[in-house]
Amino acid sequence: MEETIQDANMSEIAEPVLIRPLVKSDLPALEWDGEYLHFRNVFADVFKKVEKGTVKAWVAVSQDGRMVGQVFLQLSSDRRELADGWNRAYLYSLRVRQIWQNQGIGSRLMDVVEDDLKRMGYTRVTLNVARDNQGAIRLYTRLGYQIVAEEPGVWSYPDHKGIWRTVSEPSWRMEKKL
Ligand SMILES: CC(C)(COP(=O)(O)OP(=O)(O)OC[C@H]1O[C@@H](n2cnc3c(N)ncnc32)[C@H](O)[C@@H]1OP(=O)(O)O)[C@@H](O)C(=O)NCCC(=O)NCCS
């Protein structure tokens, strides 16, 4: 499998964990043994957008093939202050499984996204982070992100049974100049 992946999108890290673009067969593993089953339709929708070219997605995978982490990147949006399709893109759903945290994998996922954006000529990356997520805010701040706005953080999605759920997570919008 690794031979088919383009070098520009790969990153070997110490654990060892491989960071590579999301492929369709990864979708079940994004559910993390049921913890994120409710996001099944969300992940399917992300992959449709990957195929359309409006979203990019990467996963971190252990040497024995386990899903360790993920990050998604929206290139364009109706909300141009988040993503405008040419200069500014929106990073979301950064996630590393708990036993793999604090080993630099989250930072490496961020590096892969930023390197890819720079390669495409983008100059800004935005993200939303829950105001009570001190660990993530610390990580983003260390990586050079600054709080630029408040976000209500309200969004809805159909769960795996098709029932609409609403998430309300007051957030900060953070931004970094690449
Ligand atoms: C936020 C999250 C993605 C960070 O992932 P991570 O892999 O733990 O991130 P890193 O390891 O790069 O950095 C985290 C900490 O480990 C430290 N670290 C980095 N590399 C390290 C290494 N090689 N060895 C030991 N520690 C390391 C960092 O200094 C950082 O320390 P801090 O707690 O003082 O900030 C992860 O905690 C997570 O999935 N949380 C739940 C979901 C979430 O909140 N996502 C963010 C949504 S906005």
Side-chain angles (χ1 to χ4, degrees), residues 108-120:
R108 295 297 301 261
L109 283 161
M110 299 287 290
D111 280 352
V112 168
V113 169
E114 292 179 11
D115 287 349
D116 196 63
L117 281 172
K118 282 188 244 176
R119 190 181 54 76
M120 292 190 294

PDB file of all heavy atoms in Angstrom, residues 108-120:
ATOM      1  N   ARG A 108       2.646  16.757  13.830  1.00  0.00           N
ATOM      2  CA  ARG A 108       3.063  16.309  12.494  1.00  0.00           C
ATOM      3  C   ARG A 108       1.903  16.377  11.498  1.00  0.00           C
ATOM      4  O   ARG A 108       2.099  16.733  10.330  1.00  0.00           O
ATOM      5  CB  ARG A 108       3.625  14.881  12.562  1.00  0.00           C
ATOM      6  CG  ARG A 108       4.900  14.769  13.380  1.00  0.00           C
ATOM      7  CD  ARG A 108       6.053  15.560  12.805  1.00  0.00           C
ATOM      8  NE  ARG A 108       6.407  15.158  11.466  1.00  0.00           N
ATOM      9  CZ  ARG A 108       7.408  14.345  11.157  1.00  0.00           C
ATOM     10  NH1 ARG A 108       8.164  13.854  12.103  1.00  0.00           N
ATOM     11  NH2 ARG A 108       7.664  14.029   9.896  1.00  0.00           N
ATOM     12  N   LEU A 109       0.698  16.042  11.971  1.00  0.00           N
ATOM     13  CA  LEU A 109      -0.468  16.173  11.090  1.00  0.00           C
ATOM     14  C   LEU A 109      -0.639  17.636  10.668  1.00  0.00           C
ATOM     15  O   LEU A 109      -0.913  17.938   9.495  1.00  0.00           O
ATOM     16  CB  LEU A 109      -1.729  15.659  11.790  1.00  0.00           C
ATOM     17  CG  LEU A 109      -1.884  14.134  11.855  1.00  0.00           C
ATOM     18  CD1 LEU A 109      -2.875  13.730  12.947  1.00  0.00           C
ATOM     19  CD2 LEU A 109      -2.348  13.573  10.511  1.00  0.00           C
ATOM     20  N   MET A 110      -0.462  18.547  11.626  1.00  0.00           N
ATOM     21  CA  MET A 110      -0.569  19.978  11.311  1.00  0.00           C
ATOM     22  C   MET A 110       0.507  20.386  10.292  1.00  0.00           C
ATOM     23  O   MET A 110       0.239  21.145   9.357  1.00  0.00           O
ATOM     24  CB  MET A 110      -0.406  20.819  12.578  1.00  0.00           C
ATOM     25  CG  MET A 110      -1.442  20.570  13.654  1.00  0.00           C
ATOM     26  SD  MET A 110      -3.056  21.229  13.251  1.00  0.00           S
ATOM     27  CE  MET A 110      -2.753  22.989  13.373  1.00  0.00           C
ATOM     28  N   ASP A 111       1.711  19.865  10.480  1.00  0.00           N
ATOM     29  CA  ASP A 111       2.810  20.179   9.540  1.00  0.00           C
ATOM     30  C   ASP A 111       2.468  19.736   8.128  1.00  0.00           C
ATOM     31  O   ASP A 111       2.730  20.457   7.153  1.00  0.00           O
ATOM     32  CB  ASP A 111       4.093  19.434   9.955  1.00  0.00           C
ATOM     33  CG  ASP A 111       4.823  20.124  11.072  1.00  0.00           C
ATOM     34  OD1 ASP A 111       4.432  21.256  11.422  1.00  0.00           O
ATOM     35  OD2 ASP A 111       5.775  19.524  11.612  1.00  0.00           O
ATOM     36  N   VAL A 112       1.900  18.529   8.016  1.00  0.00           N
ATOM     37  CA  VAL A 112       1.571  17.995   6.686  1.00  0.00           C
ATOM     38  C   VAL A 112       0.556  18.908   5.992  1.00  0.00           C
ATOM     39  O   VAL A 112       0.689  19.246   4.815  1.00  0.00           O
ATOM     40  CB  VAL A 112       1.052  16.542   6.804  1.00  0.00           C
ATOM     41  CG1 VAL A 112       0.422  16.076   5.499  1.00  0.00           C
ATOM     42  CG2 VAL A 112       2.189  15.610   7.212  1.00  0.00           C
ATOM     43  N   VAL A 113      -0.466  19.332   6.759  1.00  0.00           N
ATOM     44  CA  VAL A 113      -1.485  20.226   6.199  1.00  0.00           C
ATOM     45  C   VAL A 113      -0.850  21.541   5.754  1.00  0.00           C
ATOM     46  O   VAL A 113      -1.070  22.023   4.631  1.00  0.00           O
ATOM     47  CB  VAL A 113      -2.589  20.504   7.238  1.00  0.00           C
ATOM     48  CG1 VAL A 113      -3.506  21.628   6.773  1.00  0.00           C
ATOM     49  CG2 VAL A 113      -3.402  19.238   7.511  1.00  0.00           C
ATOM     50  N   GLU A 114      -0.053  22.135   6.637  1.00  0.00           N
ATOM     51  CA  GLU A 114       0.529  23.448   6.320  1.00  0.00           C
ATOM     52  C   GLU A 114       1.478  23.360   5.123  1.00  0.00           C
ATOM     53  O   GLU A 114       1.477  24.242   4.259  1.00  0.00           O
ATOM     54  CB  GLU A 114       1.244  24.007   7.553  1.00  0.00           C
ATOM     55  CG  GLU A 114       0.261  24.375   8.665  1.00  0.00           C
ATOM     56  CD  GLU A 114       0.952  24.907   9.911  1.00  0.00           C
ATOM     57  OE1 GLU A 114       2.169  25.188   9.856  1.00  0.00           O
ATOM     58  OE2 GLU A 114       0.269  25.038  10.941  1.00  0.00           O
ATOM     59  N   ASP A 115       2.275  22.291   5.072  1.00  0.00           N
ATOM     60  CA  ASP A 115       3.193  22.137   3.929  1.00  0.00           C
ATOM     61  C   ASP A 115       2.406  22.015   2.631  1.00  0.00           C
ATOM     62  O   ASP A 115       2.781  22.577   1.602  1.00  0.00           O
ATOM     63  CB  ASP A 115       4.082  20.893   4.115  1.00  0.00           C
ATOM     64  CG  ASP A 115       5.146  21.122   5.172  1.00  0.00           C
ATOM     65  OD1 ASP A 115       5.327  22.269   5.606  1.00  0.00           O
ATOM     66  OD2 ASP A 115       5.786  20.130   5.578  1.00  0.00           O
ATOM     67  N   ASP A 116       1.299  21.260   2.691  1.00  0.00           N
ATOM     68  CA  ASP A 116       0.495  21.079   1.486  1.00  0.00           C
ATOM     69  C   ASP A 116      -0.117  22.409   1.041  1.00  0.00           C
ATOM     70  O   ASP A 116      -0.141  22.736  -0.144  1.00  0.00           O
ATOM     71  CB  ASP A 116      -0.593  20.038   1.754  1.00  0.00           C
ATOM     72  CG  ASP A 116      -1.206  19.525   0.480  1.00  0.00           C
ATOM     73  OD1 ASP A 116      -0.475  18.913  -0.327  1.00  0.00           O
ATOM     74  OD2 ASP A 116      -2.412  19.759   0.260  1.00  0.00           O
ATOM     75  N   LEU A 117      -0.604  23.178   2.013  1.00  0.00           N
ATOM     76  CA  LEU A 117      -1.200  24.480   1.678  1.00  0.00           C
ATOM     77  C   LEU A 117      -0.160  25.417   1.060  1.00  0.00           C
ATOM     78  O   LEU A 117      -0.445  26.109   0.079  1.00  0.00           O
ATOM     79  CB  LEU A 117      -1.799  25.113   2.940  1.00  0.00           C
ATOM     80  CG  LEU A 117      -3.160  24.571   3.364  1.00  0.00           C
ATOM     81  CD1 LEU A 117      -3.567  25.133   4.719  1.00  0.00           C
ATOM     82  CD2 LEU A 117      -4.228  24.904   2.320  1.00  0.00           C
ATOM     83  N   LYS A 118       1.033  25.423   1.650  1.00  0.00           N
ATOM     84  CA  LYS A 118       2.085  26.303   1.106  1.00  0.00           C
ATOM     85  C   LYS A 118       2.406  25.892  -0.329  1.00  0.00           C
ATOM     86  O   LYS A 118       2.563  26.735  -1.215  1.00  0.00           O
ATOM     87  CB  LYS A 118       3.345  26.221   1.974  1.00  0.00           C
ATOM     88  CG  LYS A 118       3.224  27.029   3.259  1.00  0.00           C
ATOM     89  CD  LYS A 118       4.561  27.075   3.977  1.00  0.00           C
ATOM     90  CE  LYS A 118       4.477  26.379   5.298  1.00  0.00           C
ATOM     91  NZ  LYS A 118       5.659  26.252   6.067  1.00  0.00           N
ATOM     92  N   ARG A 119       2.466  24.572  -0.542  1.00  0.00           N
ATOM     93  CA  ARG A 119       2.751  24.061  -1.895  1.00  0.00           C
ATOM     94  C   ARG A 119       1.701  24.545  -2.887  1.00  0.00           C
ATOM     95  O   ARG A 119       1.999  24.845  -4.043  1.00  0.00           O
ATOM     96  CB  ARG A 119       2.777  22.529  -1.835  1.00  0.00           C
ATOM     97  CG  ARG A 119       3.287  21.827  -3.073  1.00  0.00           C
ATOM     98  CD  ARG A 119       3.245  20.313  -2.898  1.00  0.00           C
ATOM     99  NE  ARG A 119       1.932  19.803  -2.517  1.00  0.00           N
ATOM    100  CZ  ARG A 119       0.909  19.680  -3.332  1.00  0.00           C
ATOM    101  NH1 ARG A 119       1.029  20.026  -4.596  1.00  0.00           N
ATOM    102  NH2 ARG A 119      -0.250  19.217  -2.899  1.00  0.00           N
ATOM    103  N   MET A 120       0.434  24.675  -2.411  1.00  0.00           N
ATOM    104  CA  MET A 120      -0.651  25.114  -3.308  1.00  0.00           C
ATOM    105  C   MET A 120      -0.757  26.631  -3.394  1.00  0.00           C
ATOM    106  O   MET A 120      -1.623  27.159  -4.085  1.00  0.00           O
ATOM    107  CB  MET A 120      -1.991  24.549  -2.825  1.00  0.00           C
ATOM    108  CG  MET A 120      -2.083  23.035  -2.961  1.00  0.00           C
ATOM    109  SD  MET A 120      -3.767  22.427  -2.646  1.00  0.00           S
ATOM    110  CE  MET A 120      -3.974  22.798  -0.913  1.00  0.00           C
TER     111      MET A 120
END
